[in-house]
Amino acid sequence: MKGLVLWGINNIFSVKGEEDGRIRECRIKGKKMDFETRFYNPLSAGDWVEFEDNAEENKGMLLSRYDRTNYFARWNKKGRALQTLAVNMETLFCIVSPESPPFRPRFIDRALILAEQGHLDVAVILNKSDQEIPEWVAQRLENFKSLGLDVRYTSCETGEGVDSLREEIKGKIVGFAGQSGVGKSTLLNLLIPGASQKTAEVSEKMSRGKHTTNFAVMIPYDNAPGYIIDTPGIRDLLLWGIESADLSHWFPDFNCLEEECSFAGCRHMHEPKCAVKKAVNEGIINADRYESYMRMMKELIENEQKY
Ligand SMILES: Nc1nc2c(ncn2[C@@H]2O[C@H](COP(=O)(O)OP(=O)(O)OP(=O)(O)O)[C@@H](O)[C@H]2O)c(=O)[nH]1
Ligand SMILES: [Zn+2]
């Protein structure tokens, strides 16, 4: 039978049968499935699977996984493997806030790269738009827009942007990601009443009282098909599968200048006559975005030296 993975932890997955709509607690048959072994978690919220029922009611065995249309994955340092946060979404919404907690554009820079690697459409939601938007935040947002990124504004206080967002995503499968405190739960509750209650219940049940929501949960809409995938409060997004020498290829605003760098294979760090650094000095490339690039670069170089 075909089913949809709604959530899962420690290799126990809640799967909703496509035909009968019943949810079963499923385990993986045998030790390993033929899933990609490079992943930290074999399945994630949003995966379509084949499963069979057990004799025991509401229990099942997972047999195989269908191909994913896209995925949002990051490097898991502890597990030293790719960790999939959510898959098969129409759009991944990255939620940020302007001031409290502080705007984190470097989170967006990383999310953009990870989304592109996972063939994922991404949009940014600046929540708490009722708060004052500092000038540098406005500039960075404009910069993102000029790179083609879809940026919207919502406020759970005034209701700005909430109804239109609800209309837009209704009936679709979309993902929500953000750092703790940006108002993700509040926004989800406005979009789907009782949403955060659902996540809390699932977390409580699956993690057996540990109170840690460290896995994504699919929340169904009230009167429409589709789900919002609520990913856990993400602290960091570590890159994967990118060599330091290739990092600038993931920065289209840098990449287009590369030919003008005097050094072939310029990494735009300390090389002389670098067109990217010149553009930063002239204010053509956003200085904070360059700083973001440099941090990723250092991280990648450190890792290359380690392994
Ligand atoms: N001013 C303002 N405050 C908001 C808005 N949305 C949420 N908040 C407040 O921000 C705080 C954090 O909101 P949460 O919804 O708990 O944030 P979260 O992102 O889910 O964070 P975690 O629960 O830690 O994962 C709460 O005090 C909310 O009332 C908003 O649009 N404007
Ligand atoms: Zn350069």
Side-chain angles (χ1 to χ4, degrees):
M1 274 176 290
K2 191 175 177 181
L4 181 64
V5 176
L6 300 180
W7 52 77
I9 186 171
N10 297 336
N11 289 328
I12 302 174
F13 299 91
S14 289
V15 177
K16 186 171 181 174
E18 189 183 30
E19 268 181 32
D20 62 12
R22 255 179 48 217
I23 298 173
R24 285 92 163 161
E25 214 173 74
C26 292
R27 286 166 192 272
I28 294 174
K29 191 172 182 172
K31 271 213 171 128
K32 254 189 196 159
M33 287 204 272
D34 50 354
F35 301 155
E36 288 173 76
T37 47
R38 65 195 178 113
F39 281 96
Y40 174 76
N41 46 336
L43 292 170
S44 137
D47 261 321
W48 286 98
V49 290
E50 275 297 321
F51 70 97
E52 63 186 21
D53 273 331
N54 284 1
E56 208 182 335
E57 211 184 346
N58 296 330
K59 299 255 157 113
M61 276 291 174
L62 292 160
L63 305 173
S64 62
R65 191 195 81 198
Y66 286 85
D67 285 344
R68 294 166 170 166
T69 53
N70 55 44
Y71 56 90
F72 185 51
R74 66 166 171 189
W75 186 252
N76 182 300
K77 212 174 184 174
K78 238 165 95 189
R80 288 175 66 173
L82 250 190
Q83 180 182 15
T84 323
L85 298 164
V87 303
N88 298 335
M89 295 155 276
E90 284 203 31
T91 306
L92 173 74
F93 290 99
C94 287
I95 306 164
V96 292
S97 55
E99 207 161 31
S100 61
F103 181 59
R104 296 280 300 270
R106 291 170 199 163
F107 182 84
I108 303 175
D109 289 320
R110 285 165 184 264
L112 283 177
I113 295 176
L114 296 177
E116 196 173 333
Q117 283 179 301
H119 314 287
L120 198 57
D121 258 349
V122 63
V124 164
I125 295 176
L126 184 89
N127 187 40
K128 308 198 187 187
S129 63
D130 53 284
Q131 290 181 346
E132 199 181 332
I133 299 180
E135 184 52 31
W136 78 275
V137 175
Q139 275 178 15
R140 194 71 146 88
L141 287 171
E142 281 311 311
N143 183 242
F144 279 126
K145 287 188 214 168
S146 73
L147 294 170
L149 182 63
D150 179 349
V151 180
R152 306 89 197 288
Y153 301 82
T154 59
S155 166
C156 301
E157 288 281 317
T158 68
E160 183 196 358
V162 176
D163 288 342
S164 56
L165 181 64
R166 190 188 300 108
E167 277 311 304
E168 180 190 338
I169 63 177
K170 212 172 184 172
K172 296 179 181 166
I173 296 180
V174 298
F176 273 47
Q179 290 174 318
S180 182
V182 295
K184 180 162 64 69
S185 316
T186 313
L187 183 60
L188 281 171
N189 278 337
L190 289 179
L191 298 169
I192 303 177
S196 65
Q197 178 73 18
K198 177 88 184 167
T199 306
E201 271 170 25
V202 170
S203 168
E204 176 73 28
K205 187 167 163 252
M206 300 292 281
S207 56
R208 315 262 183 259
K210 275 191 214 140
H211 297 286
T212 46
T213 318
N214 53 7
F215 54 93
V217 174
M218 295 190 81
I219 305 165
Y221 295 103
D222 272 346
N223 297 309
Y227 297 86
I228 296 180
I229 309 182
D230 181 13
T231 66
I234 297 169
R235 240 172 299 152
D236 50 12
L237 289 175
L238 295 182
L239 301 178
W240 60 276
I242 297 176
E243 286 182 27
S244 59
D246 296 330
L247 180 62
S248 64
H249 298 164
W250 299 91
F251 284 72
D253 41 340
F254 293 18
N255 204 23
C256 64
L257 296 170
E258 202 153 271
E259 295 222 322
E260 292 165 38
C261 293
S262 65
F263 212 70
C266 183
R267 291 198 289 188
H268 323 305
M269 297 175 73
H270 315 293
E271 296 88 343
K273 291 190 189 159
C274 166
V276 169
K277 272 195 297 179
K278 184 164 166 267
V280 174
N281 288 334
E282 289 169 357
I284 297 164
I285 286 179
N286 184 291
D288 188 62
R289 183 158 156 88
Y290 178 70
E291 177 61 28
S292 186
Y293 169 82
M294 286 297 276
R295 287 190 187 202
M296 289 185 215
M297 198 64 179
K298 281 177 192 149
E299 184 183 300
L300 294 178
I301 290 171
E302 258 174 42
N303 287 341
E304 282 164 9
Q305 284 163 350
K306 234 186 275 170
Y307 302 121

